[in-house]
Amino acid sequence: MDCKHGHNPEGHHHGHSVEIKSLNAAFVAGIILNLLFVAVECLFGLITGSVGLLSDAGHNLSDVASLILAMMAFRLARAKATRNYTYGYKKGTVLVSLTNAILLVIAVIFIIKESIYKIIHPVDSAALGQTIIWVAAAGIVVNGITAWLFLKDKEKDLNIKGAFLHMAADTLVSASVVVSGIIIKITGWSVIDPLIGLLIAIAIVVSTWNLLSKSIRLAIDGVPGNVDIDKVKAAILSVSGAVECHHLHIWAISTTENALTAHVVVDDIEAMEPIKEEIKARLADIGISHATIEIESRESHCRKICEN
Protein backbone atom coordinates (compact mmCIF):
# COMPACT_ATOMS: atom_id res chain seq x y z
CA MET A 1 0.00 0.00 0.00
CA ASP A 2 1.25 3.46 -0.90
CA CYS A 3 2.00 5.31 2.32
CA LYS A 4 1.24 8.71 0.78
CA HIS A 5 -2.16 10.01 1.82
CA GLY A 6 -2.84 11.31 -1.62
CA HIS A 7 -5.73 11.20 -4.04
CA ASN A 8 -6.46 12.37 -7.53
CA PRO A 9 -6.38 16.19 -7.38
CA GLU A 10 -8.24 16.50 -10.67
CA GLY A 11 -11.51 15.02 -9.42
CA HIS A 12 -12.55 17.64 -6.84
CA HIS A 13 -10.25 20.58 -7.54
CA HIS A 14 -12.84 22.86 -9.12
CA GLY A 15 -15.57 22.32 -6.51
CA HIS A 16 -13.17 22.74 -3.60
CA SER A 17 -11.63 25.85 -5.19
CA VAL A 18 -15.03 27.55 -5.48
CA GLU A 19 -15.95 26.55 -1.90
CA ILE A 20 -12.66 27.79 -0.43
CA LYS A 21 -12.90 31.13 -2.30
CA SER A 22 -16.50 31.59 -1.09
CA LEU A 23 -15.59 30.86 2.54
CA ASN A 24 -12.50 33.06 2.42
CA ALA A 25 -14.69 35.90 1.15
CA ALA A 26 -17.15 35.29 4.02
CA PHE A 27 -14.34 35.34 6.60
CA VAL A 28 -12.79 38.52 5.17
CA ALA A 29 -16.18 40.29 5.01
CA GLY A 30 -17.00 39.24 8.58
CA ILE A 31 -13.63 40.40 9.90
CA ILE A 32 -13.88 43.80 8.18
CA LEU A 33 -17.47 44.38 9.35
CA ASN A 34 -16.63 43.54 12.95
CA LEU A 35 -13.42 45.59 12.99
CA LEU A 36 -15.34 48.64 11.75
CA PHE A 37 -17.99 48.06 14.41
CA VAL A 38 -15.36 47.67 17.16
CA ALA A 39 -13.87 51.03 16.11
CA VAL A 40 -17.31 52.68 16.27
CA GLU A 41 -18.09 51.17 19.69
CA CYS A 42 -14.70 52.22 21.08
CA LEU A 43 -15.16 55.78 19.77
CA PHE A 44 -18.62 56.28 21.26
CA GLY A 45 -17.69 54.35 24.39
CA LEU A 46 -14.83 56.77 25.04
CA ILE A 47 -16.95 59.82 24.16
CA THR A 48 -19.79 58.84 26.52
CA GLY A 49 -17.73 56.94 29.09
CA SER A 50 -19.94 53.90 28.56
CA VAL A 51 -18.41 50.75 30.01
CA GLY A 52 -21.21 48.76 28.38
CA LEU A 53 -20.07 49.92 24.94
CA LEU A 54 -16.38 49.50 25.73
CA SER A 55 -16.92 46.00 27.14
CA ASP A 56 -19.07 45.04 24.17
CA ALA A 57 -16.32 46.41 21.92
CA GLY A 58 -13.89 44.09 23.69
CA HIS A 59 -16.34 41.25 23.22
CA ASN A 60 -16.71 42.06 19.52
CA LEU A 61 -12.94 42.23 19.23
CA SER A 62 -12.97 38.64 20.45
CA ASP A 63 -15.37 37.98 17.56
CA VAL A 64 -12.70 39.23 15.17
CA ALA A 65 -10.12 36.97 16.84
CA SER A 66 -12.53 34.04 16.61
CA LEU A 67 -13.16 34.69 12.92
CA ILE A 68 -9.42 34.97 12.25
CA LEU A 69 -8.89 31.76 14.21
CA ALA A 70 -11.58 29.95 12.21
CA MET A 71 -10.12 31.24 8.93
CA MET A 72 -6.61 30.22 9.95
CA ALA A 73 -7.86 26.81 11.05
CA PHE A 74 -9.67 26.43 7.73
CA ARG A 75 -6.48 27.21 5.82
CA LEU A 76 -3.94 25.51 8.09
CA ALA A 77 -5.95 22.28 8.10
CA ARG A 78 -5.53 22.16 4.33
CA ALA A 79 -1.82 23.01 4.24
CA LYS A 80 0.34 20.25 2.79
CA ALA A 81 2.80 18.35 4.95
CA THR A 82 6.53 18.93 4.42
CA ARG A 83 9.72 17.09 5.32
CA ASN A 84 10.08 19.17 8.49
CA TYR A 85 6.35 19.44 9.31
CA THR A 86 5.02 15.97 8.61
CA TYR A 87 1.53 16.82 9.93
CA GLY A 88 1.50 20.11 8.04
CA TYR A 89 0.62 23.16 10.14
CA LYS A 90 -2.52 21.75 11.77
CA LYS A 91 -1.20 22.12 15.33
CA GLY A 92 -1.09 25.86 14.71
CA THR A 93 -4.88 25.95 15.15
CA VAL A 94 -4.42 24.82 18.76
CA LEU A 95 -1.72 27.40 19.49
CA VAL A 96 -3.82 30.21 18.03
CA SER A 97 -6.87 29.18 20.08
CA LEU A 98 -4.72 29.20 23.23
CA THR A 99 -3.44 32.70 22.38
CA ASN A 100 -7.00 33.85 21.73
CA ALA A 101 -8.14 32.54 25.11
CA ILE A 102 -5.32 34.33 26.95
CA LEU A 103 -6.14 37.62 25.20
CA LEU A 104 -9.79 37.22 26.18
CA VAL A 105 -8.81 36.77 29.83
CA ILE A 106 -6.82 40.04 29.66
CA ALA A 107 -9.84 41.79 28.09
CA VAL A 108 -12.13 40.52 30.86
CA ILE A 109 -9.80 41.89 33.56
CA PHE A 110 -9.94 45.30 31.87
CA ILE A 111 -13.75 45.21 31.59
CA ILE A 112 -14.21 44.27 35.26
CA LYS A 113 -11.76 46.95 36.39
CA GLU A 114 -13.52 49.67 34.38
CA SER A 115 -17.00 48.49 35.43
CA ILE A 116 -16.13 48.63 39.14
CA TYR A 117 -14.62 52.11 38.65
CA LYS A 118 -17.80 53.35 36.94
CA ILE A 119 -20.00 51.91 39.69
CA ILE A 120 -17.98 53.89 42.25
CA HIS A 121 -17.78 56.95 39.97
CA PRO A 122 -20.99 56.91 37.90
CA VAL A 123 -21.15 58.79 34.58
CA ASP A 124 -23.81 61.49 34.39
CA SER A 125 -24.65 61.82 30.70
CA ALA A 126 -28.10 62.59 29.29
CA ALA A 127 -27.09 61.17 25.91
CA LEU A 128 -25.66 57.94 27.34
CA GLY A 129 -28.82 55.83 26.94
CA GLN A 130 -29.56 57.09 23.42
CA THR A 131 -25.97 56.45 22.27
CA ILE A 132 -25.92 52.92 23.69
CA ILE A 133 -29.21 52.10 21.96
CA TRP A 134 -28.09 53.19 18.49
CA VAL A 135 -24.55 51.79 18.62
CA ALA A 136 -25.58 48.42 20.09
CA ALA A 137 -28.48 48.22 17.59
CA ALA A 138 -25.85 48.52 14.86
CA GLY A 139 -24.12 45.58 16.57
CA ILE A 140 -27.23 43.47 16.15
CA VAL A 141 -27.12 44.18 12.41
CA VAL A 142 -23.36 43.53 12.09
CA ASN A 143 -23.40 40.30 14.11
CA GLY A 144 -26.56 39.14 12.34
CA ILE A 145 -25.07 39.71 8.87
CA THR A 146 -21.84 37.96 9.86
CA ALA A 147 -23.74 34.95 11.19
CA TRP A 148 -25.74 34.85 7.94
CA LEU A 149 -22.49 34.68 5.93
CA PHE A 150 -21.72 31.29 7.50
CA LEU A 151 -25.28 29.97 7.67
CA LYS A 152 -25.22 27.76 4.57
CA ASP A 153 -21.80 26.21 5.34
CA LYS A 154 -22.10 25.78 9.11
CA GLU A 155 -22.61 22.01 8.94
CA LYS A 156 -19.61 21.41 6.64
CA ASP A 157 -16.83 22.25 9.09
CA LEU A 158 -16.64 22.46 12.88
CA ASN A 159 -14.70 25.76 12.82
CA ILE A 160 -17.27 27.34 10.49
CA LYS A 161 -20.10 26.16 12.73
CA GLY A 162 -18.25 27.64 15.72
CA ALA A 163 -17.96 30.99 13.94
CA PHE A 164 -21.67 30.94 13.11
CA LEU A 165 -22.75 30.08 16.67
CA HIS A 166 -20.40 32.68 18.15
CA MET A 167 -21.81 35.46 15.95
CA ALA A 168 -25.42 34.37 16.51
CA ALA A 169 -24.86 34.43 20.29
CA ASP A 170 -23.25 37.88 20.09
CA THR A 171 -26.32 39.19 18.30
CA LEU A 172 -28.13 38.46 21.57
CA VAL A 173 -25.35 40.13 23.59
CA SER A 174 -25.77 43.33 21.56
CA ALA A 175 -29.51 43.09 22.14
CA SER A 176 -28.88 43.05 25.90
CA VAL A 177 -26.83 46.24 25.58
CA VAL A 178 -29.76 47.85 23.71
CA VAL A 179 -32.00 46.92 26.63
CA SER A 180 -29.60 48.60 29.07
CA GLY A 181 -29.67 51.75 26.93
CA ILE A 182 -33.46 51.81 26.98
CA ILE A 183 -33.50 51.38 30.79
CA ILE A 184 -31.00 54.22 31.21
CA LYS A 185 -33.02 56.47 28.88
CA ILE A 186 -36.27 55.80 30.77
CA THR A 187 -34.99 55.75 34.36
CA GLY A 188 -31.75 57.73 34.21
CA TRP A 189 -30.00 54.96 36.14
CA SER A 190 -26.56 55.15 34.53
CA VAL A 191 -25.32 52.43 36.94
CA ILE A 192 -27.11 49.94 34.67
CA ASP A 193 -24.31 50.49 32.12
CA PRO A 194 -21.39 49.15 34.23
CA LEU A 195 -23.65 46.37 35.56
CA ILE A 196 -24.28 45.25 31.97
CA GLY A 197 -20.51 45.46 31.46
CA LEU A 198 -20.01 43.04 34.38
CA LEU A 199 -22.65 40.66 32.98
CA ILE A 200 -20.92 40.67 29.60
CA ALA A 201 -17.58 40.03 31.35
CA ILE A 202 -19.12 37.03 33.14
CA ALA A 203 -20.46 35.72 29.82
CA ILE A 204 -17.00 36.04 28.27
CA VAL A 205 -15.39 34.28 31.26
CA VAL A 206 -17.77 31.33 30.91
CA SER A 207 -17.07 30.90 27.19
CA THR A 208 -13.37 31.68 27.58
CA TRP A 209 -12.87 29.13 30.37
CA ASN A 210 -14.12 26.39 28.07
CA LEU A 211 -11.87 27.61 25.26
CA LEU A 212 -8.87 28.04 27.57
CA SER A 213 -9.17 24.62 29.24
CA LYS A 214 -9.62 22.84 25.91
CA SER A 215 -6.74 24.75 24.32
CA ILE A 216 -4.37 23.94 27.20
CA ARG A 217 -5.37 20.27 27.08
CA LEU A 218 -4.73 20.07 23.33
CA ALA A 219 -1.50 22.10 23.53
CA ILE A 220 0.06 19.61 25.98
CA ASP A 221 -1.21 16.61 23.98
CA GLY A 222 -3.93 15.59 26.41
CA VAL A 223 -6.77 13.35 25.24
CA PRO A 224 -9.25 15.61 23.35
CA GLY A 225 -12.46 16.31 25.23
CA ASN A 226 -14.63 14.72 22.52
CA VAL A 227 -12.79 11.39 22.81
CA ASP A 228 -13.63 8.74 25.42
CA ILE A 229 -10.50 6.65 25.94
CA ASP A 230 -12.52 3.72 27.33
CA LYS A 231 -14.71 3.68 24.21
CA VAL A 232 -11.59 3.81 22.04
CA LYS A 233 -10.08 0.82 23.81
CA ALA A 234 -13.40 -1.03 23.59
CA ALA A 235 -13.57 -0.31 19.85
CA ILE A 236 -10.08 -1.77 19.36
CA LEU A 237 -10.82 -4.91 21.37
CA SER A 238 -14.17 -5.39 19.62
CA VAL A 239 -12.28 -6.41 16.49
CA SER A 240 -12.16 -10.18 16.13
CA GLY A 241 -8.64 -11.43 16.87
CA ALA A 242 -7.57 -8.45 19.01
CA VAL A 243 -7.10 -9.67 22.58
CA GLU A 244 -5.25 -6.89 24.38
CA CYS A 245 -4.33 -3.21 23.99
CA HIS A 246 -1.59 -1.24 25.78
CA HIS A 247 0.67 1.78 25.25
CA LEU A 248 -2.45 3.64 24.11
CA HIS A 249 -1.87 7.34 23.39
CA ILE A 250 -4.41 9.80 21.94
CA TRP A 251 -3.79 13.44 21.10
CA ALA A 252 -5.00 16.21 18.80
CA ILE A 253 -3.25 17.03 15.53
CA SER A 254 -5.45 20.11 15.19
CA THR A 255 -8.69 21.43 16.64
CA THR A 256 -10.60 19.04 14.36
CA GLU A 257 -8.35 15.98 13.86
CA ASN A 258 -7.16 13.38 16.37
CA ALA A 259 -4.33 10.86 16.27
CA LEU A 260 -3.61 7.61 18.11
CA THR A 261 -0.81 5.13 18.66
CA ALA A 262 -1.35 1.76 20.32
CA HIS A 263 0.15 -1.70 20.73
CA VAL A 264 -2.42 -4.42 20.03
CA VAL A 265 -1.91 -8.07 20.91
CA VAL A 266 -3.55 -10.53 18.49
CA ASP A 267 -4.15 -14.26 18.80
CA ASP A 268 -3.06 -14.93 15.21
CA ILE A 269 -0.09 -12.93 13.96
CA GLU A 270 -0.78 -14.12 10.41
CA ALA A 271 -4.06 -12.18 10.42
CA MET A 272 -2.49 -8.91 11.58
CA GLU A 273 -3.12 -6.91 8.38
CA PRO A 274 -6.92 -7.41 8.21
CA ILE A 275 -7.13 -6.88 11.99
CA LYS A 276 -5.16 -3.65 11.70
CA GLU A 277 -7.35 -2.36 8.86
CA GLU A 278 -10.54 -3.16 10.76
CA ILE A 279 -9.23 -1.40 13.87
CA LYS A 280 -8.43 1.73 11.85
CA ALA A 281 -11.88 1.68 10.26
CA ARG A 282 -13.60 1.49 13.66
CA LEU A 283 -11.39 4.23 15.08
CA ALA A 284 -12.25 6.49 12.13
CA ASP A 285 -15.92 6.04 13.01
CA ILE A 286 -15.35 7.49 16.49
CA GLY A 287 -13.23 10.47 15.47
CA ILE A 288 -9.67 9.10 15.27
CA SER A 289 -8.52 9.96 11.74
CA HIS A 290 -4.82 9.14 12.14
CA ALA A 291 -4.05 5.79 13.80
CA THR A 292 -0.72 3.98 14.08
CA ILE A 293 -1.15 0.40 15.30
CA GLU A 294 1.71 -1.88 16.33
CA ILE A 295 0.65 -5.52 16.23
CA GLU A 296 2.16 -7.96 18.72
CA SER A 297 1.85 -11.67 19.38
CA ARG A 298 0.97 -13.16 22.77
CA GLU A 299 4.65 -14.07 23.23
CA SER A 300 6.01 -10.57 22.51
CA HIS A 301 8.62 -9.12 24.87
CA CYS A 302 6.74 -5.80 25.09
CA ARG A 303 3.62 -7.55 26.44
CA LYS A 304 5.61 -9.27 29.15
CA ILE A 305 7.18 -5.97 30.25
CA CYS A 306 3.73 -4.35 30.47
CA GLU A 307 2.46 -7.19 32.65
CA ASN A 308 5.30 -6.75 35.19
Side-chain angles (χ1 to χ4, degrees):
M1 181 183 292
D2 187 356
C3 68
K4 295 180 181 179
H5 299 288
H7 61 281
N8 181 7
E10 302 297 329
H12 305 285
H13 177 74
H14 179 70
H16 283 180
S17 177
V18 172
E19 180 182 346
I20 290 171
K21 286 181 180 179
S22 173
L23 284 169
N24 279 340
F27 279 122
V28 171
I31 290 167
I32 291 173
L33 276 173
N34 280 272
L35 277 176
L36 289 174
F37 181 57
V38 166
V40 170
E41 278 198 308
C42 280
L43 176 63
F44 283 97
L46 291 171
I47 290 173
T48 62
S50 168
V51 180
L53 285 178
L54 289 174
S55 60
D56 197 43
H59 189 61
N60 281 290
L61 190 59
S62 77
D63 292 346
V64 176
S66 296
L67 289 172
I68 292 173
L69 171 62
M71 184 172 68
M72 288 184 66
F74 184 69
R75 293 183 175 183
L76 289 172
R78 287 157 179 76
K80 293 182 178 179
T82 66
R83 288 175 61 88
N84 293 325
Y85 297 93
T86 55
Y87 277 127
Y89 300 95
K90 297 175 181 179
K91 197 73 170 185
T93 62
V94 175
L95 299 178
V96 174
S97 67
L98 179 58
T99 302
N100 185 25
I102 293 171
L103 291 175
L104 282 170
V105 170
I106 295 172
V108 165
I109 293 172
F110 171 79
I111 292 169
I112 293 174
K113 176 177 175 292
E114 288 300 307
S115 294
I116 293 174
Y117 179 82
K118 292 297 182 182
I119 290 174
I120 298 172
H121 305 90
V123 175
D124 184 15
S125 174
L128 181 59
Q130 188 74 21
T131 302
I132 291 175
I133 291 171
W134 285 109
V135 176
I140 295 175
V141 175
V142 169
N143 289 321
I145 290 175
T146 309
W148 174 78
L149 289 172
F150 300 106
L151 179 62
K152 68 183 180 68
D153 295 308
K154 66 184 178 69
E155 299 301 331
K156 297 179 181 178
D157 183 270
L158 188 60
N159 287 299
I160 298 170
K161 186 172 185 177
F164 167 78
L165 293 175
H166 197 78
M167 300 311 304
D170 288 339
T171 303
L172 298 178
V173 171
S174 292
S176 70
V177 177
V178 170
V179 171
S180 77
I182 294 173
I183 294 174
I184 292 171
K185 185 175 176 60
I186 295 173
T187 65
W189 298 341
S190 59
V191 72
I192 295 296
D193 176 57
L195 290 177
I196 289 292
L198 286 174
L199 289 176
I200 292 174
I202 292 170
I204 298 173
V205 166
V206 171
S207 61
T208 300
W209 178 254
N210 188 38
L211 175 64
L212 182 62
S213 60
K214 285 184 177 179
S215 297
I216 291 174
R217 174 186 282 195
L218 298 185
I220 61 177
D221 289 338
V223 177
N226 63 336
V227 175
D228 185 328
I229 195 166
D230 291 327
K231 287 183 179 180
V232 170
K233 193 167 185 177
I236 293 173
L237 296 179
S238 69
V239 175
S240 178
V243 297
E244 186 185 322
C245 174
H246 55 268
H247 288 330
L248 176 62
H249 301 285
I250 307 170
W251 71 98
I253 298 173
S254 71
T255 52
T256 57
E257 294 181 71
N258 302 318
L260 169 151
T261 60
H263 291 202
V264 178
V265 178
V266 298
D267 55 11
D268 181 7
I269 200 69
E270 298 295 327
M272 69 176 186
E273 287 304 325
I275 291 174
K276 185 191 299 182
E277 291 306 311
E278 180 61 24
I279 289 173
K280 289 185 177 182
R282 296 195 186 188
L283 290 175
D285 289 339
I286 57 175
I288 309 293
S289 55
H290 298 264
T292 302
I293 308 296
E294 182 172 330
I295 300 295
E296 299 173 357
S297 69
R298 290 180 180 273
E299 294 74 29
S300 72
H301 183 62
C302 177
R303 181 173 182 267
K304 292 176 181 177
I305 292 175
C306 291
E307 289 176 347
N308 293 330

